[in-house]
Amino acid sequence: MPATPSPAIAHPAPATQAAAPPAHLSLEERLAFINTAMTARLEEAAVAYEVNTAHIPTEPVDLGDVVAVPLTPTLQPPTPYPTPVAALLQRAHHRLLTGGWCSGALVDEDGARCLYGAIRIEARGDQSLESRGLEVLMDAIRRQFGDVDSVPSFNDAFASGRIPMRMLDQAAGLADARLL
């Protein structure tokens, strides 16, 4: 007694090939003709797939087995720079990443800080370190943006913190390169 092939192995005979579009059609008409022919072939393939896979048993997924991760990534502080000014700028950058950036105030009502506010809090009262950090940040800003009056005016010129925070990160690298 011959074995009956399973639906997954038995393939139906290919459908008749679509006739080639007549050569006297314009490019748009030929593309529309080919699009219609391809749509019909794709629909036929989708039906064949459903028929060929209908016998495969599936089990529902137990959501308890799914690995859950937090929706917001936890930002780990980077390896600190060995020099004090670079480390200050790096800490200020990390503070803005984790605590938020704002404009128009040193600290807003949600606790977000501006560039100057982040450097000031991370300097922990060391005014010399704070001023050297601001100088390096201004150098980095002026390298890319030309003549800028101050760090607060640069910070307040932006609607989002993406560019100010990028400049703070670049300033940390600049301070490290200068061994500050």
Side-chain angles (χ1 to χ4, degrees):
M1 182 154 96
T4 312
S6 75
I9 298 173
H11 298 286
T16 58
Q17 295 294 326
H24 64 276
L25 296 176
S26 69
L27 176 62
E28 290 80 18
E29 292 169 332
R30 285 185 288 172
L31 288 174
F33 181 83
I34 297 297
N35 185 29
T36 303
M38 289 303 298
T39 300
R41 290 181 70 189
L42 288 171
E43 289 172 354
E44 184 179 316
V47 170
Y49 174 80
E50 292 295 326
V51 168
N52 288 339
T53 58
H55 72 283
I56 299 173
T58 58
E59 295 180 22
V61 175
D62 181 13
L63 294 180
D65 294 338
V66 176
V67 176
V69 295
L71 294 177
T72 56
T74 55
L75 296 173
Q76 299 296 322
T79 305
Y81 282 113
T83 58
V85 175
L88 164 69
L89 295 171
Q90 185 180 40
R91 287 192 314 271
H93 180 259
H94 185 72
R95 178 174 288 270
L96 292 180
L97 283 174
T98 58
W101 171 87
C102 72
S103 66
L106 285 176
V107 183
D108 71 3
E109 62 276 356
D110 297 327
R113 296 181 177 274
C114 70
L115 290 173
Y116 179 71
I119 291 172
R120 182 174 212 165
I121 195 72
E122 288 299 329
R124 299 179 180 102
D126 186 341
Q127 292 179 348
S128 172
L129 182 62
E130 179 183 327
S131 66
R132 289 184 296 154
L134 289 169
E135 286 174 23
V136 173
L137 178 57
M138 279 304 298
D139 286 348
I141 290 170
R142 286 184 176 139
R143 281 180 171 198
Q144 192 163 353
F145 293 95
D147 191 30
V148 175
D149 294 336
S150 66
V151 170
S153 67
F154 174 78
N155 182 83
D156 294 347
F158 293 93
S160 81
R162 186 176 57 86
I163 293 173
M165 288 171 47
R166 185 181 74 213
M167 293 310 304
L168 191 56
D169 188 45
Q170 289 178 7
L174 182 61
D176 184 54
R178 292 179 179 174
L179 300 175
L180 297 175

